[in-house]
Amino acid sequence: MSTVLAPTLSPVPWLARVLGGVLIVLGFVLLAAGGWLASVGGSWHYALSGLAWLVVGALMWGRLRGAVYGYAAYFVATLVWSLWEAGLDWWPLGARMGVPFVIGLVLLLLVPTMRRHLPVDDPRRVALRSPPATVLALGLGAFVVVALLSWSRDAQAVEGRMPPAPGAPATSVPMVPVAASSTIPGGSAAAPVPDGEWHAYGRTGHGQRYSPLRQITAANVGELQVAWEFHTGDRRGQPGDPKETTFEVTPLKVGERLFLCTPHQKVMALDATTGRELWRYDPRIRGGLALQHLTCRGLSYQAPPVDASPVPSSRTSAAADAAAPAPSAPAPAFCAAKLFMPTADGRLIALDPATGKTCPRFGRDGVVDLWAGMPNLKPGAYYSTSPPVVTRRLVIVGGTVLDNASIKEQSGVIRAYDVETGQLVWNWDSANPEETAPLPAGRTYTANSPNSWSIASVDEALGLVYLPMGNQPPDQWGGKRSPAVERHSSAVVALDLATGRVRWVFQTVHHDLWDYDVPAQPTLVDLTVRGQRVPALVQPTKQGELFVLDRRDGKPVFPVTETPAPQGAAAGDHTAATQPVSAISFNPPELTERDMWGVTMFDQLWCRIAFHRLRYEGRFTPPSTQGSIINPGNFGVFNWGGIAVDPVRGIAFTTPAVLAFTSQLVPRHDDTSQLVQDEGPPRGALPALNENFGAPFAARMRPFTSPLGIPCQAPPWGTVAGVDLNAGQVIWRHRNGTVRDLSPVPLPLRLGVPSLGGPLLTAGGVAFLSGSMDDYVRAYDVDDGRPLWESRLPAGGQATPMTYLGADGRQYLLVVAGGHGSTGTRPGDTVRAYALGKR
């Protein structure tokens, strides 16, 4: 009797039964959820896994040899299935095999313990000797080998090397301006920007985010050190701040000064070499604003007239390399040059760069009221989050409106003011595009017309300003859009600088139902395509296209194909039959169930079930009351950061991101009830997001994630990529960033995370990016995408870095680190400059 009872009283069966009990519980979960997945047309693997775990768990209560054999067979089968689904791609493979491997390892480690504690004459002691443990060990070892193979290579990477810089320019195509360009206000070519300076958001009005400085190279970038650091004292989190309060500014560098704005719209001038504050201007923004966003991406600079005393300029890079002394210059006349600052309460302010005082000749005491002529007065609901375009004689301003709040918002009108007096020269309303003469007193612009909230570009030689256009609210239902609205929504529009009239339109999305606003500044660059020199415009889009157009007439330089699109819009609406796709595209591949991901097999299973429950027919699946997967989501493959382009080599450094969202339409029964409760209650004058008051549907938009908040699609979610624009080819592409600041445990796993903020390219062959979600600024070799250097930031770097030359002859890299409310990165108020050590 004692022999029979001994195994029961020993610790070994107790340990085995605990593991068996866990497997039985998890097996029931897998069987139930896996059966649900199979019932909606998904994989049977999870249901069969549940059944296998139930059997193995039951065997653990008495037949230990059979349990070890059974689990070994299950593990090997799971490994084969995982390889069939994911190949040698580590992160999808690890999500499938992680939990089974841990359980198998625990079982393997328990076998010797169980054998030692069983009585000598217990038959189970002999039964647990090899081969059961050996078979299980071989299965686990096979997975380790596969894991090492998959870890040593990136299955998603594109390897390549950029072509060398051309030795001489190719045959040129005359860039003949259209008629009247010689008579436009500011129609002559803009004055060149000194090599060591940065005069506009993208350095120049062409928006290239490229510096001709070459002191920092791939060979020495690893020696960059913090040269100085400045704290603005302006952080998000103040009373009345919306969630999306951001520090997105790219400072300007003019002469020996830096100029920047903060989230709460304060303007500052710093010494570019030391970071010492020189002056500060507070526009005293009014309270109680109906804000969805609170940000300032930057200021705009108007250079002084040719005959005026200029702001002292930096030395050229050649002079810097020689360490020549900077020439002295007379002090500039008051407001001979200007800084323009748009404010959250709807003002455009002109400041003197030397003193920070307002320019009294501009508007009324230095201020133009952007609410003039605007319908539906609601302070904070309309303002320009992006710096305006400045030409020699015009300052051109667009703006953002409340997104998806109602159908009675403000106008998306674009207005051009005289740069000296602030007098309105022309206005272009996309819903009333033919009437561009200044609006008469007593009239208002068209309510709810498509707006341009991002950064515009300008070619003064051609006499054109290029606008990236958004949508008419609501984004997800367009049943009542007019022909003019349909034509100009989600398009690049070229306006004549003299008159504001449309010269050409290129639409990037037809009848946009996905919030695919054109988000980024168009980049203007002259390319050599098929042996001919072409004045091009490169337009990144949220859906991942790089449309390359002739900027004179908007015609595609590389092929654009109209591809069939899914049909079946919501009641009262329709979808376009086709959608344009560029020859250069980062359009993510169509999702399948096997693309679903999770930290474990359990949240991956949840994502697989959600994938089948939601409507998904590929790219441009229309929003639905069922709920639709939108891939890429409205975060975009590209957003306001745009791309960086080397105009000498004709190459681009880009930052494609891929995050799917879900879009569910909620029928509205009246124009006042709040339906989208999960967005929170209205705050003051601001309704909850996506309510769409006045439309038939509210909309519930959210990232497509598991219950753990992890994206349901497999990584990478963020990459960097190099593009040869002359050839129209993606040359290389690699993961960017880690989950160190996104996961509960700060593990620097290089999954590839999205970035929000633009890149920077330099003539030294180095590209910089600070916008990743893991609070680093990184340098990449632009030739092959190799990471060269990184530095930890004190907060999220969701801004576009810039570079300039200091008075000490050194090239500085400037990074703003203040975080972004919507991405959840750490808040801060840091402006940091890096430089090589002094020689």
Side-chain angles (χ1 to χ4, degrees):
M1 179 67 69
S2 59
T3 303
V4 176
L5 292 177
T8 304
L9 297 176
S10 70
V12 178
W14 178 80
L15 290 173
R17 289 179 179 182
V18 168
L19 180 59
V22 170
L23 285 176
I24 288 172
V25 172
L26 295 179
F28 274 119
V29 173
L30 280 177
L31 184 60
W36 186 4
L37 174 63
S39 71
V40 294
S43 171
W44 279 87
H45 172 78
Y46 294 88
L48 294 176
S49 293
L51 187 60
W53 286 21
L54 286 172
V55 171
V56 171
L59 290 174
M60 291 293 291
W61 285 70
R63 299 179 178 273
L64 299 181
R65 178 185 177 92
V68 176
Y69 266 135
Y71 196 83
Y74 158 76
F75 186 84
V76 171
T78 299
L79 178 59
V80 172
W81 170 80
S82 298
L83 287 170
W84 173 71
E85 277 213 334
L88 288 175
D89 191 350
W90 164 247
W91 294 110
L93 193 64
R96 290 162 172 80
M97 295 298 303
V99 171
F101 178 79
V102 169
I103 292 175
L105 192 61
V106 170
L107 181 58
L108 184 66
L109 294 175
L110 275 179
V111 167
T113 304
M114 290 187 290
R115 195 167 53 237
R116 278 196 309 270
H117 285 81
L118 286 170
V120 176
D121 57 346
D122 193 306
R124 289 176 296 180
R125 184 181 179 96
V126 177
L128 283 174
R129 295 184 186 277
S130 299
T134 303
V135 172
L136 180 56
L138 288 174
L140 298 176
F143 171 68
V144 171
V145 172
V146 168
L148 291 173
L149 285 174
S150 63
W151 189 265
S152 65
R153 57 186 291 276
D154 187 351
Q156 304 297 324
V158 176
E159 303 291 349
R161 189 169 184 83
M162 288 288 188
T171 305
S172 176
V173 173
M175 301 181 193
V176 181
V178 294
S181 65
S182 60
T183 61
I184 62 170
S188 57
V193 176
D195 285 0
E197 300 194 8
W198 196 281
H199 285 195
Y201 177 80
R203 187 172 178 272
T204 72
H206 283 201
Q208 294 169 349
R209 281 162 285 283
Y210 168 82
S211 171
L213 298 178
R214 56 179 69 245
Q215 194 179 106
I216 299 172
T217 67
N220 64 23
V221 68
E223 301 171 21
L224 283 177
Q225 302 171 355
V226 176
W228 56 260
E229 190 169 282
F230 174 78
H231 295 274
T232 68
D234 186 345
R235 287 170 171 254
R236 78 171 187 255
Q238 298 182 20
D241 282 0
K243 178 180 180 182
E244 193 164 310
T245 299
T246 70
F247 197 12
E248 296 178 354
V249 66
T250 297
L252 306 181
K253 200 269 187 177
V254 182
E256 301 304 336
R257 295 185 172 189
L258 297 170
F259 302 102
L260 67 143
C261 53
T262 68
H264 296 91
Q265 325 275 280
K266 296 176 177 63
V267 182
M268 301 175 187
L270 308 180
D271 183 286
T273 306
T274 65
R276 179 174 61 91
E277 183 175 331
L278 301 175
W279 56 255
R280 179 180 296 223
Y281 172 79
D282 186 351
R284 300 186 184 279
I285 305 300
R286 62 171 289 182
L289 299 179
L291 293 169
Q292 282 183 347
H293 321 275
L294 182 58
T295 192
C296 178
R297 295 193 180 96
L299 305 165
S300 299
Y301 172 69
Q302 176 219 351
V306 176
D307 57 351
S309 298
V311 175
S313 297
S314 299
R315 292 162 285 168
T316 62
S317 55
D321 291 338
S328 61
F334 180 68
C335 284
K338 295 181 187 67
L339 296 170
F340 292 97
M341 167 69 192
T343 66
D345 53 8
R347 292 175 287 161
L348 178 64
I349 302 176
L351 301 174
D352 174 44
T355 64
K357 299 181 182 300
T358 56
C359 298
R361 290 189 61 240
F362 183 81
R364 179 175 294 180
D365 295 326
V367 178
V368 164
D369 181 10
L370 296 179
W371 280 100
M374 191 64 68
N376 301 323
L377 178 62
K378 189 189 302 179
Y382 167 85
Y383 80 103
S384 183
T385 57
S386 298
V389 167
V390 174
T391 71
R392 287 181 180 268
R393 288 187 173 85
L394 296 176
V395 53
I396 303 168
V397 185
T400 183
V401 301
L402 291 184
D403 213 7
N404 301 322
S406 79
I407 63 169
K408 296 180 180 179
E409 298 303 325
Q410 296 69 46
S411 176
V413 63
I414 311 298
R415 287 171 284 190
Y417 298 93
D418 185 283
V419 79
E420 295 296 337
T421 67
Q423 182 179 358
L424 184 63
V425 176
W426 54 257
N427 38 233
W428 179 72
D429 184 342
S430 56
N432 184 25
E434 301 304 319
E435 296 185 25
T436 62
L439 190 72
R443 286 185 53 189
T444 58
Y445 301 109
T446 308
N448 228 42
S449 56
N451 64 338
S452 183
W453 57 264
S454 191
I455 306 97
S457 299
V458 64
D459 187 332
E460 294 190 61
L462 287 178
L464 294 174
V465 59
Y466 304 94
L467 305 171
M469 295 298 296
N471 240 338
Q472 179 184 70
D475 287 317
Q476 294 80 29
W477 189 85
K480 294 184 179 180
R481 295 174 186 168
S482 69
V485 165
E486 289 281 32
R487 180 176 183 233
H488 299 119
S489 290
S490 301
V492 185
V493 177
L495 300 184
D496 189 290
L497 277 176
T499 65
R501 297 182 69 85
V502 175
R503 290 261 286 274
W504 58 259
V505 178
F506 179 85
Q507 192 164 62
T508 66
V509 183
H510 308 318
H511 195 67
D512 184 0
L513 301 176
W514 305 274
D515 193 14
Y516 283 162
D517 300 348
V518 182
Q521 182 179 28
T523 296
L524 313 184
V525 59
D526 299 338
L527 300 176
T528 303
V529 180
R530 294 179 289 273
Q532 299 293 310
R533 200 70 170 164
V534 180
L537 176 152
V538 184
Q539 183 59 68
T541 70
K542 284 186 178 182
Q543 59 271 29
E545 307 303 324
L546 290 184
F547 291 107
V548 182
L549 312 174
D550 188 317
R551 66 177 182 267
R552 296 168 296 186
D553 55 20
K555 294 181 180 178
V557 173
F558 293 107
V560 173
T561 305
E562 290 288 339
T563 58
Q567 300 299 293
D573 203 354
H574 68 279
T575 54
T578 63
Q579 294 290 352
V581 176
S582 174
I584 310 176
S585 179
F586 290 96
N587 174 32
E590 186 170 325
L591 291 174
T592 65
E593 185 197 318
R594 67 177 59 187
D595 295 315
M596 297 301 99
W597 195 73
V599 174
T600 70
M601 61 187 296
F602 296 102
D603 52 322
Q604 183 186 81
L605 172 57
W606 188 97
C607 288
R608 286 178 181 249
I609 294 171
F611 175 80
H612 284 284
R613 294 185 65 199
L614 294 164
R615 180 181 178 185
Y616 181 67
E617 299 165 31
R619 189 178 178 183
F620 298 111
T621 300
S624 62
T625 54
Q626 170 188 351
S628 299
I629 297 175
I630 310 300
N631 184 45
N634 59 347
F635 183 92
V637 175
F638 299 106
N639 210 291
W640 53 261
I643 63 175
V645 172
D646 182 336
V648 179
R649 300 177 62 182
I651 60 176
F653 179 79
T654 70
T655 59
V658 180
L659 281 176
F661 272 60
T662 61
S663 179
Q664 183 179 17
L665 299 179
V666 182
R668 298 197 60 86
H669 304 294
D670 57 54
D671 294 347
T672 57
S673 300
Q674 182 187 346
L675 299 181
V676 188
Q677 300 290 337
D678 58 340
E679 295 289 354
R683 288 174 294 187
L686 180 63
L689 300 182
N690 301 323
E691 283 290 348
N692 299 334
F693 293 113
F697 300 95
R700 183 175 286 111
M701 305 287 294
R702 58 183 58 165
F704 184 32
T705 60
S706 75
L708 299 179
I710 306 297
C712 275
Q713 63 201 111
W717 309 302
T719 58
V720 291
V723 180
D724 182 349
L725 293 172
N726 294 315
Q729 295 178 345
V730 177
I731 301 300
W732 54 259
R733 186 175 184 181
H734 304 296
R735 297 171 192 263
N736 172 66
T738 71
V739 295
R740 169 174 175 164
D741 295 303
L742 297 176
S743 59
V745 180
L747 298 175
L749 300 175
R750 192 170 164 266
L751 275 71
V753 297
S755 61
L756 189 60
L760 162 68
L761 247 177
T762 70
V766 181
F768 294 95
L769 177 65
S770 65
S772 302
M773 303 305 172
D774 60 348
D775 300 352
Y776 280 92
V777 56
R778 292 184 171 89
Y780 288 91
D781 189 319
V782 73
D783 284 328
D784 56 16
R786 284 183 301 119
L788 300 171
W789 167 84
E790 67 180 24
S791 176
R792 182 77 169 157
L793 296 173
Q798 278 67 62
T800 302
M802 53 84 80
T803 187
Y804 62 90
L805 206 63
D808 57 0
R810 291 193 293 171
Q811 180 183 351
Y812 286 80
L813 168 70
L814 194 74
V815 181
V816 168
H820 194 291
S822 292
T823 62
T825 49
R826 281 187 295 168
D829 65 343
T830 301
V831 181
R832 178 183 285 182
Y834 296 87
L836 300 173
K838 293 184 178 180
R839 292 174 292 181

